Amino acid sequence: MFQPRPMTHLLIAASKEQMASVVTELYRHQIFHITDFVNQGKEGYEGVKIGVPFGNAGDLSNNLLKIRSIESVFQTAPSTQSTVQMRPAETIRAAIDSELPKIDEEVSSLTVKRSNAETRIRECEQRINELKPFALVPLELDLYRGYETLSVFAGSIEHDLEISVPHEKNFVAGKDGNFIVVFAESKNASDIERQLADAGFQSVSLPVESGTVQAAVEKYTVELNKQTQIREDCNAKIVELKAKYADLLAACDEVLSCDVERAEAPLRFATTDEAFVIDGWIPADAVEKVTAALNQATGERVYVVVDSSEIEDTAIPVEYNNPSFAKPAELFMDLYSRPKYKELDPTIILAIMFPLLFGFIVGDLGYGLLYLALALVLRKFLLKMGEMGKKAFIVILGAAISTSVFGLLYSEFFGMSLPWHSIIFSRHLPIGAGMEHAMPQVIELLIISALLGVIYISVGRFFGMINHYRMDHPGSHRTKAILAQLGWNFILWGILVLILSVADLNEYSQFPIALPTLVGIPTIAGIIGAILIIVGCVFVAIENPLDLMEIPTNTLSHMLSFCRLAAVGLSSVAIAMVVNFMAFDLFISPAMSDLNVVGVLLIIVGVIILILGHALNVALGILGGALHPIRLHYVEFFTKFYQGGGIIYKPFGLKRKFSEE
């Protein structure tokens, strides 16, 4: 808890004859993170180079490319297939040898045929569009070409014009623009071009067809329809092939991906002419099991050693080590950055607090039920996305449940009051009929939000002390960093003690339990607060005196930033109540008292306002309820102790869904 899974640095060496056995065994266990060997010509590495793939790597890669090309045509992928049955890998490899050439040939033939049809369709459409303007001119297409001493100009023009040289002109005004055709002697071509350009002339290509425009258009239209039918037939056959082979292709893709990864593994090893070395990391609790398996697979002709030398934590891969309920929050952690190996992992705090803060902000039973319905609707789609989609579904589900629970506690249902008074704090505003005397407990909500900020910042500084102790090298720098974190907490709590010594928060709020106050001993409390602030400033200045300039930001500003929890929540309630007021009080209720045709229209308008207004507020609730808690964790909490930047643990081996060895 609060730290990644312990890792052990392992070196595996053997003769090249054992390479295939070692790779197969490591791939089977799927827990060994390989550190790629980089040939940099270092001293002591003479004769050591990057390995070469196994002999079948090329054929495997070619087959994988064929399958993914077919999947691209089918617009499918293994991640989108959820109904594929588990099959033995050898059966799938046999299908690759027997079925893939036939499938590839059939799909390639269809795609080529479809591509040719699409090319011909574009050509026909282009020729039809080019010929249409000429349909307005009463000339056959042969008359536009074949002259030695005549030039022909055709195109669109802004307006008709008088041409000053001898010519033959056809001008047609149309709703889509004016069209003009001019015949003139070639010696006058430059003069005509200049006069046409002054009139906004845009030339078009002269037709190469013969006969009438109508006949040419009909010819291309027939060809267009024919090629369109060919394309549709190809698409229909591709859909049939997709239904027939999509599951098989997903399984083949998985098996070949595994085989290619194994075949290309030597590219990550350090090798000599006779031997190889694999450098990597493995969970500490799996070292004995993997060592025994490698010895068994190679007949004990492999050398496995645990490297206990000091290694920078930035080079150690990080695997989360969280309980199952906290794993969905790893999605948010990876969006920010994975922790370093020796760094505290705050995933559990994020897993607990994100849904609680979401519910605290939105806190409406009606919206919570809508979010729950949304989660169930998206469930099938999200689960197809694999582990990430599953985590996203659980996050949405947790936020929906929290919103519903807080809605019961706040007594809110689409901005309306439930049959009981709010159990914790009232957020109802004096908006609408029956709510004239509603008094939201704004002060209480703001106090709770600010106190939550104090707790978050204090815990963040405490975590910062632990991280500096664990991650920094022993010495004065580590001591100064730890004291600085302690100093920031002293400053924060000193300011809080001073506030409590002059202000009794119970006078401004109505909590069931009295809040702590120090107004009874203002002198003693003031002295304690001042001492805390002074000592805190000294500790901070020991590390860096310039950091004292950030006291307003790193204390009061970040603490008060948590007040957005109350503010955003109250704004959501206000929007919901305004929507209800506009829909019911301004439209529906007056119309119901005197129902007629106009009243029915008013009721319809009111219902539309009700639906659209709450739909907008639901969307804003998702945005505000998710964005602000995440921001508070990323900006106000993580910046106190968290660096991130850890290497993601990627064990050698693909997790199988459709095949088994």
Side-chain angles (χ1 to χ4, degrees):
M1 184 180 293
F2 292 113
Q3 61 185 16
R5 190 175 179 183
M7 290 286 171
T8 297
H9 189 205
L10 213 62
L11 297 174
I12 303 171
S15 63
K16 282 191 173 180
E17 290 84 0
Q18 305 302 324
M19 184 182 290
S21 299
V22 171
V23 169
T24 300
E25 197 63 27
L26 291 178
Y27 201 90
R28 185 174 69 85
H29 283 82
Q30 297 182 355
I31 54 176
F32 189 80
H33 176 101
I34 299 176
T35 300
D36 294 345
F37 172 72
V38 180
N39 187 8
Q40 296 179 334
K42 293 182 180 179
E43 184 178 354
Y45 284 82
E46 294 82 2
V48 180
K49 56 186 178 182
I50 296 173
V52 296
F54 291 122
N56 61 343
D59 293 336
L60 293 172
S61 297
N62 288 335
N63 285 337
L64 183 58
L65 287 174
K66 289 179 182 178
I67 286 178
R68 291 185 175 171
S69 175
I70 296 171
E71 288 175 331
S72 176
V73 174
F74 288 168
Q75 295 183 347
T76 185
S79 59
T80 64
Q81 302 300 111
S82 58
T83 59
V84 182
Q85 294 181 348
M86 187 74 75
R87 310 182 195 183
E90 287 304 319
T91 303
I92 297 172
R93 291 190 183 98
I96 293 173
D97 294 334
S98 61
E99 298 289 333
L100 182 58
K102 180 180 66 175
I103 299 172
D104 182 48
E105 182 180 358
E106 193 169 1
V107 172
S108 298
S109 175
L110 287 172
T111 53
V112 169
K113 189 175 181 180
R114 183 176 65 178
S115 178
N116 292 337
E118 289 175 343
T119 301
R120 187 59 180 149
I121 287 171
R122 288 192 294 269
E123 292 175 355
C124 291
E125 289 175 341
Q126 180 181 354
R127 294 306 300 155
I128 291 172
N129 291 331
E130 291 174 352
L131 287 170
K132 280 183 178 179
F134 290 93
L136 304 174
V137 181
L139 295 175
E140 291 198 359
L141 298 175
D142 307 81
L143 299 177
Y144 291 101
R145 64 184 185 278
Y147 303 109
E148 295 181 358
T149 59
L150 287 179
S151 296
V152 183
F153 305 89
S156 60
I157 196 168
E158 295 178 358
H159 55 80
D160 195 6
L161 78 161
E162 293 295 331
I163 299 175
S164 60
V165 298
H167 66 282
E168 182 70 31
K169 180 182 69 173
N170 285 277
F171 174 81
V172 181
K175 60 180 181 179
D176 296 328
N178 303 321
F179 190 75
I180 190 171
V181 176
V182 178
F183 295 84
E185 292 184 77
S186 298
K187 63 181 182 181
N188 298 322
S190 58
D191 292 337
I192 294 177
E193 285 179 351
R194 185 178 63 256
Q195 295 177 50
L196 289 173
D198 293 339
F201 177 74
Q202 297 289 331
S203 65
V204 298
S205 300
L206 294 174
V208 295
E209 290 79 10
S210 301
T212 64
V213 175
Q214 182 179 359
V217 169
E218 288 178 356
K219 181 186 71 172
Y220 284 117
T221 301
V222 170
E223 180 67 13
L224 175 63
N225 293 334
K226 176 184 175 183
Q227 297 299 327
T228 301
Q229 186 60 49
I230 293 175
R231 182 182 64 182
E232 296 304 319
D233 291 343
C234 291
N235 287 333
K237 290 179 181 178
I238 288 173
V239 171
E240 291 178 7
L241 293 176
K242 175 182 177 181
K244 184 177 180 181
Y245 294 117
D247 290 354
L248 175 61
L249 289 173
C252 293
D253 189 321
E254 180 179 273
V255 169
L256 281 174
S257 296
C258 295
D259 291 347
V260 168
E261 188 176 11
R262 278 198 297 258
E264 295 181 349
L267 292 170
R268 311 175 69 182
F269 304 162
T271 65
T272 64
D273 293 338
E274 302 295 335
F276 70 95
V277 177
I278 307 176
D279 182 356
W281 296 86
I282 190 171
D285 56 2
V287 173
E288 293 184 4
K289 181 179 73 172
V290 171
T291 301
L294 289 173
N295 282 321
Q296 182 179 2
T298 60
E300 297 189 353
R301 291 190 293 273
V302 64
Y303 182 68
V304 182
V305 61
V306 174
D307 181 14
S308 56
S309 60
E310 189 70 22
I311 297 178
E312 289 290 334
D313 61 293
T314 54
I316 305 175
V318 176
E319 166 72 338
Y320 290 114
N321 190 25
N322 296 307
S324 57
F325 78 88
K327 290 190 178 297
E330 294 170 0
L331 185 66
F332 294 129
M333 291 301 304
D334 283 336
L335 284 176
Y336 188 84
S337 182
R338 188 163 292 206
K340 291 186 174 71
Y341 182 69
K342 293 183 180 179
E343 193 172 23
L344 288 176
D345 177 11
T347 304
I348 292 179
I349 295 176
L350 190 56
I352 296 172
M353 295 306 300
F354 174 78
L356 289 178
L357 296 182
F358 189 101
F360 183 82
I361 291 175
V362 183
D364 188 289
L365 177 59
Y367 293 164
L369 295 176
L370 284 180
Y371 295 151
L372 185 60
L374 177 64
L376 296 177
V377 169
L378 295 177
R379 179 177 180 274
K380 186 175 181 180
F381 170 75
L382 291 173
L383 294 183
K384 285 184 178 180
M385 298 172 60
E387 191 66 24
M388 181 180 295
K390 182 180 179 181
K391 290 178 179 179
F393 168 72
I394 297 175
V395 167
I396 298 172
L397 193 64
I401 293 173
S402 176
T403 302
S404 301
V405 172
F406 271 94
L408 294 172
L409 297 176
Y410 288 143
S411 183
E412 294 178 17
F413 184 80
F414 290 111
M416 298 178 287
S417 179
L418 291 168
W420 56 85
H421 293 292
S422 58
I423 299 174
I424 47 174
F425 304 110
S426 174
R427 304 195 304 176
H428 291 291
L429 301 166
I431 301 174
M435 303 300 294
E436 295 84 357
H437 304 292
M439 288 297 294
Q441 294 177 279
V442 178
I443 300 298
E444 289 83 350
L445 290 167
L446 290 174
I447 290 175
I448 287 294
S449 300
L451 290 178
L452 187 61
V454 172
I455 295 172
Y456 257 98
I457 294 171
S458 300
V459 171
R461 295 297 183 188
F462 177 69
F463 282 1
M465 295 169 63
I466 297 175
N467 277 342
H468 282 298
Y469 178 79
R470 295 175 57 179
M471 298 171 64
D472 295 351
H473 295 291
S476 60
H477 171 73
R478 182 172 73 174
T479 302
K480 291 178 181 179
I482 293 174
L483 287 176
Q485 293 285 10
L486 181 61
W488 283 115
N489 261 351
F490 280 178
I491 294 171
L492 175 64
W493 283 94
I495 293 173
L496 187 62
V497 168
L498 288 178
I499 293 173
L500 294 177
S501 69
V502 298
D504 185 358
L505 299 181
N506 295 293
E507 295 181 2
Y508 308 99
S509 59
Q510 298 177 356
F511 286 96
I513 302 175
L515 295 174
T517 179
L518 300 174
V519 294
I521 49 171
T523 303
I524 298 176
I527 293 173
I528 293 174
I531 292 174
L532 286 173
I533 293 174
I534 293 172
V535 173
C537 288
V538 172
F539 285 174
V540 171
I542 288 175
E543 184 186 33
N544 187 356
L546 294 178
D547 286 347
L548 294 174
M549 300 174 61
E550 299 182 8
I551 289 179
T553 302
N554 283 338
T555 54
L556 291 176
S557 175
H558 284 184
M559 178 185 69
L560 295 176
S561 184
F562 279 78
C563 292
R564 71 181 66 241
L565 297 172
V568 176
L570 287 169
S571 68
S572 178
V573 177
I575 292 173
M577 297 187 72
V578 167
V579 169
N580 292 338
F581 172 74
M582 293 176 62
F584 290 109
D585 294 13
L586 298 184
F587 289 93
I588 296 177
S589 295
M592 292 293 291
S593 61
D594 184 19
L595 194 59
N596 51 38
V597 176
V598 176
V600 172
L601 293 176
L602 291 176
I603 291 173
I604 294 173
V605 172
V607 171
I608 293 174
I609 291 175
L610 194 68
I611 294 173
L612 293 181
H614 282 297
L616 174 63
N617 206 24
V618 165
L620 291 175
I622 294 175
L623 182 63
L627 180 63
H628 291 289
I630 289 297
R631 183 201 177 279
L632 290 174
H633 281 90
Y634 286 175
V635 178
E636 273 71 31
F637 184 47
F638 283 5
T639 52
K640 306 299 181 293
F641 69 96
Y642 192 75
Q643 296 180 12
I647 299 173
I648 298 176
Y649 171 66
K650 295 180 179 179
F652 179 56
L654 182 69
K655 291 185 178 180
R656 297 176 182 267
K657 296 191 300 180
F658 314 130
S659 61
E660 56 185 354
E661 292 289 351

